[in-house]
Amino acid sequence: MAININTQELYQLLEEVPYRQNIMLVGRHGIGKSQILENYFKARNQQVVSLFLGQMSDPGDLIGIPNKDEKTGKTNFLPPYWFPLDDRPIVLFLDELNRARPEILQTIMDLALNKKLAGKSLPEGSRIISAVNEGDEYQLTDLDPALVSRFNVYYFKPSVEEWLAWAQGKGLDSRVVAFIGHYPDFLDGEMLRIADPGLEKLPDRRGWERVSDILLNTRNVNDTTKKIIAGIVGVKATARLFESFSENRVLSAQELLSGFDSAKSQLSHYRVAELSLLNESLFRYIEQMPEDEFKAGKGEGLSCYVQWMVEKGHREAMAHFCNLFENARYPHANLLVLQHEPGLYEQISQFILNL
């Protein structure tokens, strides 16, 4: 049975698995495997060397070129461009492992077992992480069971909630974030892949980030803009995205917290489903928020919103809000409330007691 892990579990895995054990991450393209690893290890001042094995045509690209030692008369290999010569440990990221040619995979065998290439050892403390793609749409090479046995294997399936929190923290276009919040199946194109496996272009997480870059820098969205975006996430996802722009979308967390009084008129039309989406958006947004910003008025806006739910009798939505507060997914948001909005915390506690 496949062992699935999300982003938070991946972070814990990287902390707890000894560097001597190799890790293999299985997942679709565009879900952030390489980006997460790069950011994680760079934050710890560890060098990440990424090798795209699917692009290598010859083992020499991996092990270097042969060279005759004039003193011994024997042949050795000049180290390739990426090989560390300063004895500092590295994180060797073998991307597209199951797209590599068979002769490349044979070279990987000794590397994965002994951390050696052509007789040269990686510096002590180096670790090896590989990534492989899964799915019928890829042209893949079958991996030798002996090679797979050299790795701890995990299916990397980051949750939609993790992506939404990341997207809000990075400042992606609010329309893209709201769209994925409403239609999570479009994030990785799962619904479209099932409905029409022959589609040439399907959305993925990397693509939605590019869509955000375009929308943030486009003043007048027109038919040409739609074509540009369709080339990134596909026609069906683009059509649904632009349909959502004309719908009565749910307020963003930033809009609510920046001006609660002006948001109340729109809130009055919301039912449980819309309020629940807004609750999730609020916690994701506050989880990424600096403490000073929360203290400067955003915490007060949150208190006003909760007071409004209580006064209007939205018990189901309030219960959902309280459940999110008790959830361990948002520790920073919960801490901000505890430290700077004691009245709000008391209100939450009292509501829970009265359930």
Side-chain angles (χ1 to χ4, degrees):
M1 184 175 69
I3 306 300
N4 297 332
I5 59 171
N6 59 28
T7 304
Q8 289 304 314
E9 290 168 330
L10 175 57
Y11 288 142
Q12 184 176 343
L13 181 151
L14 295 174
E15 289 283 349
E16 297 182 2
V17 173
Y19 70 86
R20 292 183 178 85
Q21 297 183 20
N22 305 322
I23 296 170
M24 180 183 292
L25 300 177
V26 184
R28 311 197 75 84
H29 69 278
I31 60 175
K33 299 186 292 294
S34 57
Q35 186 178 51
I36 288 172
L37 293 173
E38 288 272 354
N39 293 340
Y40 175 87
F41 287 110
K42 283 185 177 180
R44 289 155 179 79
N45 295 316
Q46 293 180 265
Q47 182 187 6
V48 178
V49 176
S50 297
L51 300 179
F52 297 93
L53 301 185
Q55 299 175 12
M56 293 185 174
S57 58
D58 184 89
D61 296 336
L62 187 63
I63 64 175
I65 59 175
N67 178 62
K68 181 180 179 181
D69 188 323
E70 296 298 337
K71 293 182 178 180
T72 65
K74 296 181 180 180
T75 298
N76 55 27
F77 286 83
L78 295 176
Y81 73 94
W82 60 267
F83 198 90
L85 300 176
D86 55 5
D87 291 329
R88 291 181 57 194
I90 65 170
V91 178
L92 185 59
F93 180 49
L94 305 176
D95 204 0
E96 302 179 339
L97 182 66
N98 59 340
R99 289 190 175 192
R101 298 165 67 94
E103 54 268 31
I104 300 293
L105 292 177
Q106 289 299 319
T107 305
I108 296 294
M109 294 285 277
D110 189 34
L111 178 63
L113 182 62
N114 301 310
K115 290 188 169 62
K116 285 185 177 182
L117 271 178
K120 295 182 176 64
S121 298
L122 293 176
E124 178 65 21
S126 296
R127 71 188 307 165
I128 297 175
I129 301 176
S130 69
V132 304
N133 295 123
E134 65 163 346
D136 295 335
E137 67 271 31
Y138 301 111
Q139 294 181 350
L140 304 176
T141 304
D142 290 335
L143 296 179
D144 190 312
L147 176 59
V148 175
S149 71
R150 289 160 165 77
F151 290 85
N152 303 348
V153 181
Y154 307 95
Y155 282 71
F156 181 47
K157 297 184 180 295
S159 68
V160 175
E161 290 77 13
E162 288 173 332
W163 185 88
L164 289 169
W166 169 84
Q168 285 188 319
K170 193 169 181 181
L172 265 63
D173 188 274
S174 60
R175 291 166 293 182
V176 172
V177 178
F179 174 73
I180 298 301
H182 281 79
Y183 305 102
D185 287 339
F186 280 92
L187 177 59
D188 297 311
E190 291 300 327
M191 182 179 67
L192 298 178
R193 187 173 290 108
I194 294 171
D196 187 358
L199 270 177
E200 292 186 5
K201 190 66 179 177
L202 293 174
D204 58 44
R205 299 170 188 229
R206 191 184 299 144
W208 286 117
E209 185 176 0
R210 296 203 297 269
V211 169
S212 170
D213 290 341
I214 289 171
L215 291 176
L216 285 171
N217 291 287
T218 303
R219 290 186 177 181
N220 299 313
V221 175
N222 53 33
D223 287 342
T224 302
T225 310
K226 294 180 182 179
K227 289 183 178 180
I228 294 170
I229 292 176
I232 302 172
V233 294
V235 174
K236 290 188 177 181
T238 301
R240 193 67 194 92
L241 173 67
F242 279 85
E243 286 174 13
S244 74
F245 291 171
S246 60
E247 296 171 351
N248 292 323
R249 66 178 182 85
V250 175
L251 285 162
S252 70
Q254 187 172 8
E255 289 170 330
L256 179 72
L257 297 179
S258 298
F260 180 76
D261 288 339
S262 59
K264 282 194 293 188
S265 60
Q266 187 168 342
L267 284 175
S268 64
H269 302 292
Y270 287 1
R271 298 183 179 180
V272 175
E274 289 83 5
L275 292 173
S276 296
L277 286 171
L278 182 55
N279 289 344
E280 292 273 5
S281 178
L282 283 166
F283 274 92
R284 287 195 302 267
Y285 182 66
I286 296 172
E287 183 68 18
Q288 307 294 324
M289 185 182 294
E291 184 175 3
D292 290 344
E293 186 178 345
F294 187 82
K295 291 165 60 178
K298 297 296 174 64
E300 182 180 349
L302 186 66
S303 294
C304 290
Y305 169 64
V306 170
Q307 182 63 36
W308 176 86
M309 281 196 292
V310 173
E311 291 176 354
K312 297 299 181 181
H314 291 291
R315 290 184 59 81
E316 288 184 64
M318 183 61 186
H320 178 257
F321 184 95
C322 293
N323 183 58
L324 291 174
F325 180 80
E326 292 185 308
N327 196 307
R329 284 186 300 167
Y330 305 108
H332 178 64
N334 295 351
L335 184 61
L336 290 178
V337 171
L338 287 169
Q339 289 182 334
H340 303 294
E341 291 294 328
L344 173 56
Y345 174 66
E346 184 178 343
Q347 197 165 28
I348 292 171
S349 300
Q350 191 60 47
F351 182 87
I352 294 173
L353 285 173
N354 293 333
L355 285 176

